[in-house]
Amino acid sequence: MISTKKILKKKSNTPIVCLTAYSQNIAKIADKYCDIILVGDSLGMVLYGMRTTRDVKIDTMIVHAKAVKNFTKKSLVVFDMPYKTYENKFLAYKNAKRVMKLTKCDAIKLEGGVKIVNIIKHLVKKGIPVMGHIGLLPQTTNNFKVKGINLNQRKQILKDALAISKAGAFAIVIECVVENLAKEITKNVSIPTIGIGASKYCDGQILVTEDMLGLSNSLPKFVKQYGNLNKVIEKYVKKYAKDVKMKRFPSHKNIYK
Ligand code: KIV
């Protein structure tokens, strides 16, 4: 199994490959190629059609995380703590401890910077590995635009990165920030940066698997779509429907005598 120590050693060395997974099917494939598998709260929108990740419940995440972790042999599995489950260090620890016990995940991810430093320190002190998440923060923003264009925002995001790194996180996701800011952060923090819409200068990359497979509907510019599974699935569903209507399915091969 890949440990957080191994992830740390990859900084400025070997690009870190990460993807999301919410099910055993994707986990089994991702595990062959990824260093980190994130059970992301993006599942609310991707799987359940929610409008934001704010509606995702911790128990829903636990069910998916169990499936992912049970079918992952090599990758580090990170559990994305949903909205309002880590509002203070005591609540964060109570929830994270339960998550780690029930899912056997290897680490948790929290969104936020300077404001959550005490929470990160507390969790790390209690033995829970933490991955940070800065830049665009889907749990708390209503403004889904690229971050780091104006100077104040840039300074704040850099401060957030430095604070999280010092607090003891083992890696930071940087979401949707301008290239030169991602480069500056990556140069200045001691832990690996994992970019999603944050340029090739990060130490690793992550995408939502359904986005890159072409299973999601609207995609941000930073997603590279490697295929269009929506089309592929539709093709087979259409074929099946036709077979049923034409009484071509089930055939003699699919029945019991
Ligand atoms: O929830 C998620 O999938 C994430 C990634 C986009 C990093 O947080």
Side-chain angles (χ1 to χ4, degrees):
M1 220 262 310
I2 294 175
S3 62
T4 53
K5 260 192 190 159
K6 274 192 193 154
I7 298 291
L8 271 158
K9 277 194 187 146
K10 287 180 185 275
K11 180 158 179 85
S12 316
N13 184 5
T14 322
I16 301 166
V17 183
C18 320
L19 277 175
T20 60
Y22 320 127
S23 67
Q24 51 126 345
N25 298 327
I26 298 289
K28 278 191 262 186
I29 300 169
D31 190 37
K32 292 186 196 169
Y33 304 99
C34 293
D35 300 300
I36 297 176
I37 296 179
L38 172 70
V39 186
D41 65 353
S42 52
L43 71 74
M45 294 155 95
V46 173
L47 285 192
Y48 292 101
M50 293 171 180
R51 284 189 48 244
T52 77
T53 55
R54 286 195 273 268
D55 296 327
V56 174
K57 299 280 176 276
I58 197 162
D59 286 339
T60 309
M61 292 287 299
I62 288 172
V63 173
H64 287 274
K66 273 186 186 171
V68 170
K69 181 63 186 171
N70 275 342
F71 289 88
T72 301
K73 289 188 190 129
K74 177 196 108 268
S75 313
L76 187 96
V77 180
V78 179
F79 184 100
D80 204 4
M81 295 292 283
Y83 184 53
K84 288 208 186 271
T85 61
Y86 52 99
E87 284 176 299
N88 60 62
K89 65 180 188 179
F90 303 109
L91 182 67
Y93 180 56
K94 184 174 157 241
N95 283 325
K97 197 174 148 195
R98 179 168 170 256
V99 158
M100 300 293 274
K101 190 173 168 216
L102 293 177
T103 67
K104 311 276 187 291
C105 279
D106 307 300
I108 57 150
K109 176 167 84 62
L110 306 178
E111 287 184 19
V114 173
K115 284 185 196 157
I116 62 161
V117 156
N118 284 340
I119 298 171
I120 297 177
K121 278 187 186 161
H122 187 65
L123 293 175
V124 172
K125 203 170 101 189
K126 294 278 194 183
I128 299 182
V130 177
M131 178 183 234
H133 183 152
I134 57 166
L136 195 151
L137 304 178
Q139 289 178 2
T140 47
T141 192
N142 291 316
N143 179 12
F144 285 79
K145 286 201 179 130
V146 61
K147 304 293 174 200
I149 293 173
N150 78 59
L151 194 61
N152 283 344
Q153 204 175 59
R154 251 190 107 87
K155 280 187 188 161
Q156 186 56 53
I157 296 173
L158 183 58
K159 261 191 201 163
D160 286 339
L162 291 167
I164 290 174
S165 173
K166 279 200 191 125
F170 72 90
I172 324 176
V173 169
I174 308 180
E175 181 162 352
C176 205
V177 306
V178 291
E179 181 180 60
N180 56 13
L181 177 58
K183 192 174 178 184
E184 190 179 351
I185 294 171
T186 302
K187 217 174 100 188
N188 284 285
V189 295
S190 55
I191 57 176
T193 57
I194 312 293
I196 174 160
S199 88
K200 65 178 180 185
Y201 294 105
C202 291
D203 298 301
Q205 299 294 328
I206 185 161
L207 282 177
V208 170
T209 303
E210 279 74 357
D211 289 351
M212 68 101 161
L213 294 179
L215 275 168
S216 309
N217 293 320
S218 65
L219 291 181
K221 172 181 169 177
F222 62 70
V223 176
K224 178 171 175 184
Q225 214 178 314
Y226 285 82
N228 192 338
L229 284 197
N230 263 335
K231 268 203 173 150
V232 175
I233 294 171
E234 183 168 346
K235 186 175 139 194
Y236 294 133
V237 170
K238 194 173 162 189
K239 229 173 159 186
Y240 164 75
K242 201 169 168 192
D243 279 355
V244 172
K245 283 182 188 160
M246 308 278 289
K247 294 221 170 257
R248 285 195 301 239
F249 173 81
S251 75
H252 67 281
K253 288 184 195 158
N254 312 112
I255 54 163
Y256 300 99
K257 286 213 171 164

